[in-house]
Amino acid sequence: ALIDLASYPAATAYLDAIQGKNRGAWHARRARTRGYVCTEIDRNDYIDDIHAINTSLDVRQGRPMDQKYLDKVTHYERLPHFDHYGVLNAEGRLVAYANIGRYGNFSAFSQLIGVRNNDGIMHLLIVDIVARLIERQRVRYVMYDTFFGAQSGMQNFKRVVGFEPYRVKYSLQ
């Protein structure tokens, strides 16, 4: 699942492309009106919140949570090619987070997880990250895991925020 960032001359063009009821921009706007904000984070400032998010559900996407999410991490190493984002609620508590790596001409989400509350926080997280990637112009594409292997609900979510299915071959050198 990819978004070709070069097809949007500015973040506003991306937001225009995902307008409409039950589309990504609509859900992101709804989350903002409920007091949520998306920001870059230092994961070490949110150790307890990250653990609470990781253990908030036993099953996600029809599968039990992997053990690595259930063990509490006490310190995160900062890697130079990764950025970390979070959605904070009105009280400043982390309710969703994403880790995204840069690899040549593309960025890829390595983790994307939040509490389930139907407030649009996951839409806000992705929409804001994609908008920032467009504005920064460091990468051409952003990838969010597989499209064809995802369940139908996840495929729909990816489409709502602008991802499309691609078959891609790449190599890192």
Side-chain angles (χ1 to χ4, degrees), residues 138-153:
R138 288 189 214 154
V139 293
R140 165 87 189 252
Y141 303 96
V142 61
M143 182 177 78
Y144 178 12
D145 203 14
T146 182
F147 189 89
F148 299 109
Q151 294 180 359
S152 61

Side-chain angles (χ1 to χ4, degrees), residues 151-171:
Q151 294 180 359
S152 61
M154 181 57 77
Q155 286 180 354
N156 183 57
F157 174 76
K158 290 175 182 182
R159 278 193 181 102
V160 163
V161 294
F163 286 92
E164 297 180 27
Y166 282 85
R167 294 206 185 271
V168 177
K169 289 185 181 184
Y170 59 90
S171 65

Side-chain angles (χ1 to χ4, degrees), residues 13-69:
Y14 164 67
L15 295 173
D16 288 345
I18 57 169
Q19 287 294 333
K21 182 137 170 85
N22 290 322
R23 298 277 295 162
W26 184 84
H27 286 289
R29 189 171 38 258
R30 187 169 58 112
R32 277 189 202 91
T33 63
R34 293 177 175 177
Y36 296 97
V37 295
C38 180
T39 186
E40 288 192 56
I41 63 168
D42 178 340
R43 295 177 297 167
N44 290 305
D45 294 339
Y46 297 97
I47 297 285
D48 291 334
D49 289 349
I50 289 172
H51 183 68
I53 292 166
N54 290 349
T55 58
S56 64
L57 291 173
D58 295 330
V59 175
R60 289 181 186 261
Q61 294 302 308
R63 289 178 243 140
M65 288 297 291
D66 190 277
Q67 186 61 42
K68 73 176 184 171
Y69 286 95

